[in-house]
Amino acid sequence: MLKSLYSGVSGMKGFQTKLDVIGNNVANVNTVGFKKSRVMFQDIINQNISGATAPTGQQGGVNPKQIGLGTKIAAIDTVHTPGSPMTTNMATDLAIDGDAYFVVSPEDPLLNGKNYLTKAGNFSRDANGDLVNSNGFYVVGTVVSNGEPINININVSFDEKAKANALDEETDQSNFTSYSIDSNGYITVVREDSVSGKLAWTEADGYFLNDTGDESLNVSIATAVVPNPSGLKKVGNTMFEVTPNAATGEVVFGRIEDNKGGQITSGVLEMSNVDLTDEFTEMIVAQRGFQANARTITTSDSILEEVVNLKR
């Protein structure tokens, strides 16, 4: 009798967790880059009443007799299916059509600090001209320097090389007046003197409009592709941390065309992948599951009461 009580309790706890996950999914239905979660159940252990016997020449086989003792949460999966694209027509709103993730960092990427992955491409330019996300984290860029790819922040304020070569303030037309990002993550900038070109970076010259013809100096948005996206750990603010189960070894941040991560679309945001129809259906299942397990407990309690009343 007590087994059904505890089985009912385990079921109620499980469905309560399922409702918690559904509630979080519904709350983030309009969150940029949000990836929904789902709860998977599995049974705990089984009490063996009798084992299985193999068929013989004189008698057929017998299946085992077992009583399950409840349920538990097997996994809370993060579902990394693409969210719906929303057109914003803002140059700094980016979405990736593919498996790659944007890379953001709370500190200068040159310092090799902590990096996070995200699908939320609602970036903006701060007062220093750096491209950042809504939390002020740097959007990591990548460039080839001395034959090696390195990660840098992306600054689109002014042409440092042109500013250094300007004779005086009157001839200085180094400020970038506009910029755009193409499908491979390269940044096209327009200078005050109406000259346009790709944004480039070298350790010696800093950020400048590339007029050298060396395309390896061009700065592009850094992206990352992990073999097992479900292994990424949510850290809040629509960001993910790479875990050992997401990728073995260090994840390489590179140009999206090199890691075959898809294409970047400017002026579009990838919204949440939560489907309210699915969530409400699962909510009904969770509600009824919770009620059924509660009924198991009340029924078991009624039977226990009858047992107690046998002795008057």
Side-chain angles (χ1 to χ4, degrees):
M1 196 68 63
L2 290 176
K3 296 183 189 122
S4 60
L5 279 172
Y6 290 126
S7 295
V9 170
S10 68
M12 289 176 68
K13 287 182 176 177
F15 281 109
Q16 178 60 60
T17 302
K18 185 179 179 71
L19 277 172
D20 292 341
V21 171
I22 293 171
N24 185 57
N25 288 344
V26 173
N28 287 285
V29 69
N30 201 39
T31 302
V32 177
F34 177 78
K35 298 302 176 188
K36 66 181 180 181
S37 299
R38 66 175 186 178
V39 176
M40 304 303 291
F41 293 91
Q42 66 182 19
D43 63 349
I44 303 178
I45 54 176
N46 291 273
Q47 179 184 8
N48 285 318
I49 305 300
S50 64
T53 57
T56 63
Q58 291 77 32
Q59 187 177 6
V62 178
N63 295 327
K65 297 183 180 66
Q66 296 176 296
I67 301 174
L69 299 177
T71 184
K72 66 178 181 180
I73 302 297
I76 301 177
D77 300 323
T78 302
V79 181
H80 286 262
T81 53
S84 301
M86 182 179 75
T87 302
T88 65
N89 293 324
M90 292 182 63
T92 52
D93 283 346
L94 305 176
I96 293 179
D97 183 12
D99 297 330
Y101 291 79
F102 297 112
V103 185
V104 295
S105 175
E107 54 190 345
D108 190 335
L110 282 172
L111 301 177
N112 295 320
K114 192 75 175 176
N115 294 299
Y116 299 100
L117 308 186
T118 183
K119 283 283 192 179
N122 51 323
F123 304 135
S124 61
R125 190 171 61 167
D126 68 7
N128 291 331
D130 292 315
L131 203 60
V132 296
N133 72 354
S134 56
N135 300 100
F137 286 18
Y138 293 110
V139 178
V140 177
T142 185
V143 66
V144 176
S145 177
N146 298 323
E148 294 291 333
I150 62 171
N151 298 323
I152 60 173
N153 58 325
I154 299 173
N155 189 286
V156 285
S157 55
F158 61 91
D159 188 328
E160 297 179 48
K161 193 175 177 181
K163 192 176 188 65
N165 293 332
L167 299 176
D168 50 43
E169 291 186 359
E170 292 184 358
T171 60
D172 181 12
Q173 292 186 312
S174 60
N175 289 334
F176 294 135
T177 56
S178 65
Y179 63 96
S180 60
I181 300 168
D182 67 18
S183 60
N184 287 321
Y186 294 101
I187 299 114
T188 300
V189 290
V190 180
R191 229 167 32 201
E192 277 183 292
D193 55 2
S194 300
V195 177
S196 63
K198 299 294 184 187
L199 180 70
W201 181 90
T202 63
E203 191 170 0
D205 298 321
Y207 297 91
F208 61 96
L209 191 151
N210 193 357
D211 53 2
T212 66
D214 186 355
E215 295 184 355
S216 67
L217 303 179
N218 292 342
V219 178
S220 68
I221 303 280
T223 59
V225 176
V226 294
N228 176 30
S230 296
L232 295 173
K233 176 185 174 184
K234 289 182 176 179
V235 294
N237 301 317
T238 330
M239 292 185 290
F240 299 94
E241 183 179 86
V242 178
T243 69
N245 196 39
T248 56
E250 187 175 353
V251 176
V252 177
F253 306 142
R255 304 185 195 278
I256 197 167
E257 58 187 338
D258 295 334
N259 58 28
K260 298 180 175 55
Q263 287 190 323
I264 294 175
T265 305
S266 178
V268 174
L269 289 176
E270 179 180 339
M271 299 303 292
S272 168
N273 66 348
V274 173
D275 186 329
L276 286 179
T277 305
D278 292 341
E279 299 303 323
F280 287 154
T281 302
E282 290 299 313
M283 191 183 297
I284 293 171
V285 171
Q287 180 187 13
R288 293 304 182 190
F290 190 92
Q291 289 176 338
N293 279 280
R295 186 60 58 88
T296 301
I297 293 173
T298 56
T299 303
S300 299
D301 180 56
S302 298
I303 295 173
L304 278 174
E305 186 179 4
E306 293 296 327
V307 173
V308 170
N309 289 335
L310 288 176
K311 176 72 173 66
R312 295 181 182 275

